[in-house]
Amino acid sequence: MSRSDLNTGLETQKLVSIPLAGIPQSSFETLVKFSKSYLVAAVCPRTEFSSLEIHNSTLITASYDATVRLWDLITGDCVQVLDGQFLRVLRPHPTMEGRGAQPGSNAQIRVENYFVTWFWGFPTFTIWKMALDEDLERNKSTKIMATSMRQIGHEDHEVACLAARDRTVATGGRDCTVRLWDIMSGECIWLSIGHTDDVTCIELNQTQCFSLSSYGTLRVWNIETGECHQVIGSRQEPIYQISVLPSSYIYAYLDGTLIARDSISSRLKYQLSGIKANFHHNGDKMVAGSVDGIRVWDVQSGKLVKESSSDFGNCSTVFALLGEHYAVAIVRRDEKVWLDVWDLVDYS
């Protein structure tokens, strides 16, 4: 689709463009995380932060010094350092009621109070529990925000990637296996073999586990049984990113092709081309860089709903969608690093 095919109602409007000073142009890490109240953009040397999570007014950061730190987003103070061998931090996705639990049952857990840390290539990961407001009120002097619940893993399984959803954690390993764990009991629910190389990316939805290997092969597993019911080959270009929704899953190739499939049947829903950077979605809209600039699609149909006129050149871009109205991009442009905010609302 050319720009002349688009009516003017599709055009986005850039609200602000902020230069980010003190950042090396050639080598930096860009991480974006947001909640209902906060947007955190970490733009720093590659030896600094490796991942971010937000819990209420607390920012949780994992760093390449193998520590996890908790920060007060109101004051900017570091309030706790978790020492150990940690390189990644992740909060479980709180959409299920707990594996196998019925709504309202005692099996429900408050997953918003938990997070997981792990180190690439290590055989274990750690479950942490965030202190509740009433706990902090009782123990003002200690200022302990997070406590370790348990370590989970197996000596033969070197964790290379991890995904969490409610009380379920999925890990992909350098041993080519995919494993599903219960974070409350620490038990391995199932172990599945199928990949022939390292598992580098893993995702979960309510009924399926999606694993991606270093050669770009995607496998889809039944979350209850561990049975593989779909294998997608790598073509000439490997798959480099995957994201899942309740009714579909989306993956992108290095050649700029993006494909969406139905979660149950794996039927092709739509295919897009010209994707230039990592895509991001909020369950309703999807945003990514394209050969023409920034584009926004309906995530269910693949219909183009917005497009910018900016040219990002050959820069690397990190996007985030903020609610229904805004998109945020961190870009390299004019030998500087910029934070751009785009208005996605159609005022026509």
Side-chain angles (χ1 to χ4, degrees):
M1 179 181 293
S2 67
R3 290 189 52 81
S4 60
D5 295 327
L6 304 173
N7 64 54
T8 56
L10 294 177
E11 189 72 14
T12 63
Q13 178 183 358
K14 187 190 292 185
L15 295 179
V16 64
S17 189
I18 305 170
L20 303 176
I23 300 170
Q25 164 69 8
S26 58
S27 177
F28 65 90
E29 191 82 23
T30 53
L31 302 170
V32 174
K33 186 65 66 172
F34 61 92
S35 65
K36 291 181 179 179
S37 305
Y38 297 96
L39 166 67
V40 177
V43 187
C44 54
R46 294 189 184 278
T47 55
E48 292 284 341
F49 301 123
S50 55
S51 62
L52 310 173
E53 288 291 341
I54 297 175
H55 173 80
N56 296 333
S57 60
T58 301
L59 174 67
I60 310 170
T61 64
S63 305
Y64 287 101
D65 63 1
T67 64
V68 169
R69 297 174 185 264
L70 282 69
W71 308 79
D72 188 318
L73 283 170
I74 298 174
T75 66
D77 296 332
C78 178
V79 294
Q80 189 177 353
V81 179
L82 309 180
D83 292 316
Q85 296 295 322
F86 310 128
L87 188 60
R88 293 286 187 270
V89 59
L90 182 71
R91 293 187 61 219
H93 195 289
T95 57
M96 292 172 63
E97 302 293 341
R99 188 175 183 274
Q102 296 299 316
S105 73
N106 292 330
Q108 289 181 327
I109 61 171
R110 296 181 64 176
V111 295
E112 66 270 19
N113 294 324
Y114 294 84
F115 64 92
V116 187
T117 58
W118 77 100
F119 196 96
W120 188 89
F122 277 40
T124 61
F125 55 93
T126 304
I127 309 298
W128 299 83
K129 184 178 181 180
M130 292 290 294
L132 302 175
D133 292 339
E134 52 264 33
D135 297 330
L136 295 175
E137 189 66 27
R138 285 195 304 266
N139 303 294
K140 290 182 178 179
S141 59
T142 62
K143 296 183 179 179
I144 300 299
M145 299 289 295
T147 54
S148 174
M149 264 182 48
R150 62 173 49 88
Q151 280 193 333
I152 301 174
H154 190 279
E155 60 182 7
D156 295 329
H157 182 59
E158 298 178 357
V159 177
C161 55
L162 183 149
R165 195 179 189 91
D166 284 308
R167 61 181 293 166
T168 301
V169 168
T171 57
R174 298 181 63 194
D175 59 355
C176 310
T177 66
V178 174
R179 304 182 190 222
L180 202 72
W181 311 82
D182 186 304
I183 67 173
M184 294 295 104
S185 67
E187 296 179 354
C188 181
I189 301 168
W190 52 254
L191 179 157
S192 292
I193 300 172
H195 287 291
T196 57
D197 50 324
D198 295 4
V199 182
T200 56
C201 180
I202 199 158
E203 294 286 349
L204 292 169
N205 67 11
Q206 293 96 324
T207 60
Q208 295 164 306
C209 176
F210 303 80
S211 59
L212 184 64
S213 73
S214 57
Y215 288 159
T217 300
L218 174 64
R219 287 180 174 263
V220 184
W221 313 82
N222 183 294
I223 203 170
E224 293 293 333
T225 65
E227 179 184 0
C228 179
H229 57 80
Q230 180 73 22
V231 180
I232 298 174
S234 62
R235 306 193 318 177
Q236 293 183 344
E237 292 283 341
I239 300 170
Y240 76 94
Q241 184 184 1
I242 179 172
S243 185
V244 300
L245 293 91
S247 61
S248 61
Y249 59 98
I250 306 168
Y251 55 96
Y253 290 94
L254 286 175
D255 64 1
T257 302
L258 181 144
I259 291 176
R261 293 185 180 275
D262 181 87
S263 290
I264 303 302
S265 66
S266 292
R267 174 184 57 83
L268 178 67
K269 297 183 69 173
Y270 58 85
Q271 179 171 322
L272 306 174
S273 60
I275 306 299
K276 199 173 182 181
N278 286 2
F279 64 88
H280 176 84
H281 70 82
N282 60 8
D284 178 40
K285 294 184 177 67
M286 177 172 62
V287 62
S290 70
V291 293
D292 297 321
I294 178 175
R295 286 188 173 186
V296 183
W297 299 266
D298 179 274
V299 76
Q300 298 298 335
S301 66
K303 179 183 177 181
L304 182 66
V305 295
K306 289 287 181 181
E307 183 184 55
S308 79
S309 57
S310 290
D311 180 12
F312 292 122
N314 293 319
C315 65
S316 104
T317 308
V318 175
F319 287 105
L321 279 169
L322 302 181
E324 298 294 322
H325 296 167
Y326 305 106
V328 176
I330 297 176
V331 303
R332 289 184 178 125
R333 185 175 60 246
D334 302 330
E335 299 184 355
K336 294 180 181 179
V337 180
W338 300 79
L339 174 67
D340 292 348
V341 180
W342 297 85
D343 189 350
L344 304 181
V345 178
D346 186 358
Y347 295 101
S348 58

